[in-house]
């Protein structure tokens, strides 16, 4: 009887391990699917953003605020999906940066957000567009003569 109980207990424990390992495999597959989904979604969003032209400045601002809100909510709700999404965005913006020159006409909002996704935009665009002024940094140091007097007692 004890042997029977032990055998039943071992079968139950063994089957729970098998079930747990199968659930873990399914969970990993879902995670991979979710990661690839958000990377593909990021590529599609980036392509749309790169082709987007707003009719008014207010429309442009609204569009980019909505995009920022989407990313903020994604980060709050699912950090792994957010990381996959941002990696996809970074890759898409880096790819676009390679061939984006004078023929690309993007708004200021685009370049502001693009610099968040890919640092190449901030170095190229903002340095050429907003930092046209010349600044000279000079440092002047004025020293005064110091006189010290001391009394020596023997």
């Amino acid at each position: 009887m004890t042997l029977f109980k032990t055998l039943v207990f071992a079968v139950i424990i063994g089957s729970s391990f098998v079930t747990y390992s199968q659930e873990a495999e399914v969970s990993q597959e879902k995670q991979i699917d979710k990661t690839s989904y958000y990377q593909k979604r990021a590529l599609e969003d980036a392509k749309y953003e790169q082709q987007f032209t707003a009719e008014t400045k207010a429309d442009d601002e609204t569009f980019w605020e909505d995009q920022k809100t989407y990313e903020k909510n994604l980060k709050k709700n699912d950090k792994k999906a957010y990381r996959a999404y941002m990696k996809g965005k970074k890759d898409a913006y880096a790819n676009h940066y390679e061939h984006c020159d004078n023929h690309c006409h993007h708004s200021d909002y685009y370049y502001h957000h693009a610099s968040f996704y890919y640092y190449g935009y901030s170095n190229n665009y903002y340095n050429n567009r907003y930092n046209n002024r010349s600044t000279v940094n000079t440092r002047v140091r004025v020293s005064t003569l110091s006189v010290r007097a001391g009394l020596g007692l023997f």
Side-chain angles (χ1 to χ4, degrees):
M1 191 64 136
T2 344
L3 182 64
F4 179 73
K5 287 180 183 177
T6 307
L7 188 59
V8 169
F9 181 72
V11 168
I12 291 173
I13 296 294
S15 66
S16 67
F17 284 130
V18 170
T19 304
Y20 177 75
S21 67
Q22 289 173 352
E23 288 175 3
E25 286 178 17
V26 170
S27 173
Q28 285 178 340
E29 288 175 9
K30 285 182 182 178
Q31 195 69 311
I32 291 169
D33 290 342
K34 184 191 299 187
T35 301
S36 64
Y37 167 78
Y38 279 103
Q39 285 179 343
K40 287 177 188 174
R41 171 81 190 263
L43 293 173
E44 293 168 359
D45 287 354
K47 185 176 181 179
Y48 181 79
E49 291 165 4
Q50 291 155 0
Q51 296 172 350
F52 176 76
T53 52
E55 293 182 16
T56 65
K57 196 169 188 167
D59 290 343
D60 199 25
E61 184 178 7
T62 302
F63 171 78
W64 287 104
E65 283 300 317
D66 289 345
Q67 183 60 33
K68 194 175 186 181
T69 302
Y70 171 76
E71 291 171 3
K72 187 186 267 186
N73 289 337
L74 184 61
K75 183 177 183 179
K76 186 172 82 173
N77 295 330
D78 190 348
K79 291 191 187 288
K80 288 183 181 181
Y82 173 78
R83 282 193 297 271
Y85 185 81
M86 294 310 286
K87 183 184 180 327
K89 276 277 186 99
K90 181 181 177 185
D91 293 344
Y93 274 81
N95 188 27
H96 182 72
Y97 179 77
E98 294 299 320
H99 68 74
C100 182
D101 52 18
N102 294 335
H103 73 277
C104 289
H105 302 288
H106 300 298
S107 69
D108 289 340
Y109 288 106
Y110 171 85
Y111 286 108
H112 175 74
H113 288 276
S115 65
F116 178 71
Y117 301 123
Y118 182 67
Y119 67 88
Y121 281 102
S122 62
N123 292 339
N124 184 22
Y125 181 76
Y126 285 112
N127 287 340
N128 292 335
R129 183 166 172 148
Y130 292 114
N131 294 333
N132 288 334
R133 64 180 185 255
S134 298
T135 49
V136 177
N137 293 329
T138 58
R139 294 183 185 201
V140 178
R141 184 174 181 191
V142 178
S143 297
T144 58
L145 182 62
S146 66
V147 178
R148 295 184 186 180
L151 295 173
L153 298 174
F154 294 96

